[in-house]
């Protein structure tokens, strides 16, 4: 079974600075997707960024970028120029392509605080 | 853009009662997923449907059942409710693309409280 681990229950960053959230995963599949979701106090699940395992290039979405290390099974999220609105719970998620269907498997989450 | 609609948004039930949660996917999305998020926990996959057929099953209790209807909306039926069923229930939908399921878009969730 696939597992996703986020070893940082809480992180904090100063406004305008950069923060990196860590995620590791375990899988025997070669083809899969990785995601970072944001859950603000409203509890809405918002997709931040996605990475296809077959792509070597790291995904980037504006101030959000990932460092995908397939061999190490590591998938970290970097938030640049942090804003107060970035404060939320961040979940790393895995989705297999074949053997595990299309369900999302989430990590435990990292609560990000942004200090003004 | 249209989003996933879930109803009701909040539901309070007593132990041993039943509850029905509804999910209306984004138009032209044919796959629906249900997740359960307990307090302070990550979302856990329950079940999914593709073209009205169950496509995947996770840690869904036998007391729960779900189905997808001809208009692609889905309902999660929960019977003999227990205190531990209190959680946020998310529905997500995705389109079916040539390479497989597309992105999952989440609804706002239904907060179920069992007293």
């Amino acid at each position: 079974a696939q597992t996703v681990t986020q070893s940082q229950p809480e992180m904090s960053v100063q406004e305008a600075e950069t923060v990196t959230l860590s995620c590791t995963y375990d899988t025997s599949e070669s083809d899969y997707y990785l995601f970072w979701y944001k859950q603000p106090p409203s509890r809405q699940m918002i997709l931040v960024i996605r990475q296809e395992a077959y792509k070597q290039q790291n995904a980037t979405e504006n101030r959000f970028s990932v460092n995908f290390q397939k061999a190490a099974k590591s998938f970290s999220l970097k938030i640049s120029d942090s804003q107060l609105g970035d404060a939320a719970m961040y979940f790393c998620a895995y989705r297999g392509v074949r053997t595990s269907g299309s369900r999302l498997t989430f990590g435990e989450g990292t609560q990000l605080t942004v200090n003004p | 853009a249209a989003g996933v609609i879930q109803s009701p948004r909040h539901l309070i039930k007593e132990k041993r009662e039943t509850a029905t949660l509804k999910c209306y996917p984004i138009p032209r999305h044919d796959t629906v997923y249900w997740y359960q998020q307990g307090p302070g926990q990550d979302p856990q996959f329950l079940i999914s449907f593709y073209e009205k057929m169950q496509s995947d099953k996770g840690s869904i209790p036998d007391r729960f059942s779900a189905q997808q209807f001809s208009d692609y909306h889905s309902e999660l039926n929960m019977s003999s409710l227990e205190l531990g069923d209190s959680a946020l229930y998310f529905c997500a939908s995705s389109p079916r693309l040539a390479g497989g399921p597309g992105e999952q878009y989440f609804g706002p969730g239904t907060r179920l409280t069992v007293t």
Side-chain angles (χ1 to χ4, degrees):
Chain A
Q2 293 72 28
T3 60
V4 179
T5 302
Q6 294 177 248
S7 58
Q8 306 156 316
E10 298 177 347
M11 291 283 284
S12 63
V13 63
Q14 291 296 125
E15 196 175 3
E17 294 191 344
T18 296
V19 65
T20 298
L21 308 184
S22 301
C23 173
T24 58
Y25 60 94
D26 188 25
T27 183
S28 58
E29 297 177 286
S30 59
D31 200 9
Y32 51 87
Y33 298 90
L34 296 166
F35 307 86
W36 280 97
Y37 279 88
K38 168 185 177 180
Q39 188 175 44
S42 67
R43 306 299 299 277
Q44 175 77 48
M45 294 291 286
I46 302 167
L47 177 64
V48 175
I49 199 165
R50 118 181 191 161
Q51 175 78 43
E52 292 89 341
Y54 64 86
K55 289 187 177 180
Q56 292 187 342
Q57 186 173 7
N58 289 323
T60 299
E61 288 288 342
N62 301 312
R63 298 182 295 107
F64 299 87
S65 61
V66 299
N67 183 4
F68 173 47
Q69 301 289 328
K70 190 172 184 179
K73 295 181 181 174
S74 169
F75 182 61
S76 61
L77 174 69
K78 185 172 82 171
I79 306 174
S80 304
D81 186 25
S82 296
Q83 302 176 359
L84 295 177
D86 294 334
M89 179 70 84
Y90 285 81
F91 290 100
C92 177
Y94 169 100
R95 194 187 90 203
V97 173
R98 292 182 179 82
T99 59
S100 61
S102 55
R103 67 174 72 177
L104 288 169
T105 300
F106 291 89
E108 307 91 332
T110 296
Q111 183 68 51
L112 178 66
T113 301
V114 180
N115 300 308
Chain B
V4 177
I5 297 172
Q6 290 188 246
S7 68
R9 295 291 307 277
H10 302 273
L11 190 59
I12 300 175
K13 291 287 185 177
E14 295 187 353
K15 283 193 305 183
R16 292 179 290 278
E17 286 191 322
T18 61
T20 297
L21 310 185
K22 297 184 179 182
C23 169
Y24 298 87
I26 293 171
R28 291 179 295 283
H29 282 197
D30 52 17
T31 306
V32 169
Y33 312 80
W34 287 97
Y35 294 87
Q36 177 192 57
Q37 186 179 27
Q41 298 180 358
D42 55 285
Q44 295 291 316
F45 171 75
L46 292 177
I47 195 166
S48 64
F49 293 88
Y50 167 60
E51 284 290 345
K52 293 152 279 185
M53 299 288 289
Q54 181 181 307
S55 56
D56 194 8
K57 187 174 182 180
S59 50
I60 183 169
D62 292 340
R63 300 177 289 108
F64 295 5
S65 65
Q67 57 183 324
Q68 186 180 31
F69 294 85
S70 57
D71 64 351
Y72 295 104
H73 95 271
S74 178
E75 295 184 3
L76 177 64
N77 299 292
M78 310 160 71
S79 62
S80 302
L81 287 169
E82 302 174 356
L83 295 178
D85 296 329
S86 295
L88 187 59
Y89 290 83
F90 285 108
C91 172
S93 74
S94 71
R96 178 68 54 155
L97 306 176
E103 223 53 80
Q104 291 185 31
Y105 295 85
F106 282 76
T110 293
R111 181 174 297 281
L112 172 66
T113 302
V114 181
T115 62

